[in-house]
Amino acid sequence: SRTGGSIGKGEVNPDQLQRYIDNGGFWHHAFADDQRYYKMANGAYLDFAVQMGFIAKAEPIVFQLYSEPMQRFRLAARGHGKVQPPEAERGRIEASMD
């Protein structure tokens, strides 16, 4: 609202900068109990995130845990590929690129 009573996207609030100053430069919002956990797949949170403009669609956010560069290092430590690490470092590279 124009008085700053709403949160997220909305009409221009002429007092917005003063509100930030009054709050030490911060804004705080307490999530509802059903929005607090597993935000990447939590329907209630994802709907809220769309309303706030954080994300475009209320779809689960998939984390890609596989890393091709790390796999290449791991494979090189196992002897695959044209570029090979020094023999003394192979165990450390394979262990740390897991």
Side-chain angles (χ1 to χ4, degrees), residues 12-61:
V12 174
N13 174 5
D15 296 325
Q16 182 174 1
L17 288 178
Q18 187 58 49
R19 292 278 180 106
Y20 278 114
I21 292 167
D22 294 344
N23 290 309
F26 293 95
W27 171 75
H28 175 78
H29 172 76
F31 291 112
D33 288 343
D34 65 342
Q35 295 174 322
R36 292 184 181 177
Y37 302 99
Y38 301 109
K39 291 182 175 83
M40 78 291 184
N42 180 322
Y45 173 80
L46 292 171
D47 290 338
F48 173 78
V50 170
Q51 292 171 356
M52 292 295 289
F54 298 160
I55 57 175
K57 298 179 191 174
E59 296 176 350
I61 299 166

Side-chain angles (χ1 to χ4, degrees), residues 71-94:
Q71 178 66 2
R72 279 191 236 126
F73 273 99
R74 187 180 307 122
L75 290 174
R78 294 175 183 169
H80 299 280
K82 295 177 187 176
V83 179
Q84 294 292 301
E87 191 64 41
E89 300 297 326
R90 289 177 187 256
R92 181 184 63 81
I93 292 170
E94 185 173 3

